Amino acid sequence: MIDTTVDVINKLGLHARASGKLIEVTTKFRSSIQVGKGDKLIDAKNIMALLMLGAGKGTTLRIVVDGPDEEKALDEVLALFAAKFYEAD
């Protein structure tokens, strides 16, 4: 199990389009992937849960990944956040 944090740095935060891109990444993996604020974690493969999280720019999110492909899954999730969900500034 890997437990880490990531900062939301894209201009609009984890809005619908960014959440959709995150779903595209997370659903490729067999590992359980959860994100959240503090102890409130949600399934990162569930679009409605991601939208309800309300993670705007500057939010620090906790990411917990557990499973057979956890390292690869975490690498791709963190890369997506670092790339600002491939959105224009």
Side-chain angles (χ1 to χ4, degrees):
M1 180 175 74
I2 304 171
D3 191 335
T4 190
T5 60
V6 65
D7 292 326
V8 178
I9 59 173
N10 61 309
K11 182 179 179 182
L12 298 175
L14 202 53
H15 59 95
R17 191 174 318 122
S19 294
K21 289 179 181 180
L22 184 56
I23 293 289
E24 287 177 16
V25 169
T26 59
T27 56
K28 294 189 310 186
F29 298 99
R30 292 180 31 211
S31 294
S32 165
I33 305 170
Q34 297 180 305
V35 299
K37 301 174 187 175
D39 290 334
K40 181 182 185 268
L41 295 173
I42 56 97
D43 181 3
K45 298 179 183 182
N46 181 322
I47 189 77
M48 292 306 294
L50 285 171
L51 292 173
M52 296 297 291
L53 194 56
K57 182 177 181 176
T59 302
T60 298
L61 293 177
R62 182 176 168 209
I63 302 177
V64 178
V65 187
D66 188 25
D69 49 7
E70 63 190 21
E71 290 181 19
K72 178 73 172 153
L74 181 63
D75 288 346
E76 288 199 28
V77 168
L78 293 178
L80 184 63
F81 275 86
K84 300 180 182 179
F85 297 91
Y86 303 102
E87 297 174 346
D89 286 333

